[in-house]
Amino acid sequence: MSTPFTVTVFCGSAPGFDPVYVQTAAHVGSVIGERGMHLVYGGGHVGLMGTTANGALTAGGTVTGVIPRALQSREAMHDHLTELIVVDTMHERKTIMSERADAFLALPGGPGTLEELTEQWTWAQLGIHEKPCGVLNVDGYYDPFIALVQNMRDRGFTHRRYTDMLVIGDDIDDVLDRLQAYEPPTRVYQSPGAEMSSSGLPGIRP
């Protein structure tokens, strides 16, 4: 039996003020479950995290939660998952979520969500892995982040090949299709920083 495509979802432990965030998280979980994909997430029962997990479970999907002991009570650990992994540190949590993933997907969330997304995107740029990083831009939530990424590129702090790695969209079916079809860019010998330093001469834009 083939291993299901596994999506590690990063999202808020809060629900946000607009009901569209919770509605979208439930839909994302449902679509992941209906597609026969496996969901890996942070293990909480509250906010968008719990909503996404419940959506996948209700749709017949399988869900792995990974949660540090220190957050078991603070994030109201989900007790009805397919698999729950309790770890000692945030670093262990992120390592397991990374290793289990075939792709990463960010829904709206706070600084933790942003940190998890950008860490995996950075690792992809450095060649630590070749997994795609997706962003579901719910109701324009990630517009400022997208503008920042473009600004990094336009001001010479990253290459277009790395900004183009990000799979961004507002339709979950389209984003999941693109994550599954993703092909990493051709690897270059230089690190992203060294590459930009050697090509970032006055008048030259990569």
Side-chain angles (χ1 to χ4, degrees):
M1 189 170 78
S2 62
T3 303
F5 188 83
T6 298
V7 182
T8 288
V9 171
F10 305 131
C11 59
S13 58
F17 292 141
D18 192 321
V20 70
Y21 302 130
V22 171
Q23 294 164 4
T24 301
H27 180 59
V28 167
S30 296
V31 172
I32 289 173
E34 290 165 359
R35 283 179 169 232
M37 296 176 172
H38 182 68
L39 170 66
V40 174
Y41 84 115
H45 195 276
V46 295
L48 301 192
M49 293 172 64
T51 301
T52 305
N54 288 336
L57 292 168
T58 300
T62 55
V63 180
T64 293
V66 188
I67 192 166
R69 298 183 196 283
L71 295 182
Q72 280 181 270
S73 59
R74 292 171 61 189
E75 288 191 358
M77 183 178 67
H78 203 307
D79 294 322
H80 302 290
L81 304 175
T82 310
E83 178 185 26
L84 179 65
I85 302 172
V86 181
V87 297
D88 291 323
T89 68
M90 288 292 288
H91 292 295
E92 290 178 274
R93 179 198 220 180
K94 293 194 294 181
T95 297
I96 292 172
M97 293 175 73
S98 177
E99 290 175 344
R100 296 280 187 105
D102 292 307
F104 305 96
L105 176 64
L107 306 185
T113 298
L114 185 61
E115 186 264 345
E116 290 169 322
L117 168 64
T118 54
E119 179 177 63
Q120 295 305 329
W121 178 38
T122 300
W123 287 7
Q125 292 181 58
L126 294 174
I128 295 172
H129 65 67
E130 294 190 330
K131 302 172 183 181
C133 297
V135 176
L136 190 65
N137 191 20
V138 182
D139 196 31
Y141 182 81
Y142 277 106
D143 285 351
F145 172 73
I146 295 167
L148 176 61
V149 168
Q150 293 171 343
N151 193 49
M152 292 175 185
R153 177 200 65 205
D154 294 345
R155 291 177 181 260
F157 285 95
T158 191
H159 196 285
R160 180 179 293 275
R161 79 164 58 84
Y162 302 123
T163 58
D164 287 350
M165 281 179 167
L166 292 170
V167 176
I168 300 171
D170 58 10
D171 179 86
I172 184 58
D173 286 293
D174 171 65
V175 170
L176 289 176
D177 285 344
R178 290 160 60 200
L179 290 174
Q180 285 192 283
Y182 174 82
E183 293 185 8
T186 301
R187 184 61 50 197
V188 297
Y189 174 75
Q190 292 175 302
S191 72
E195 180 184 7
M196 295 306 295
S197 295
S198 62
S199 63
L201 301 174
I204 298 176
R205 289 184 178 269

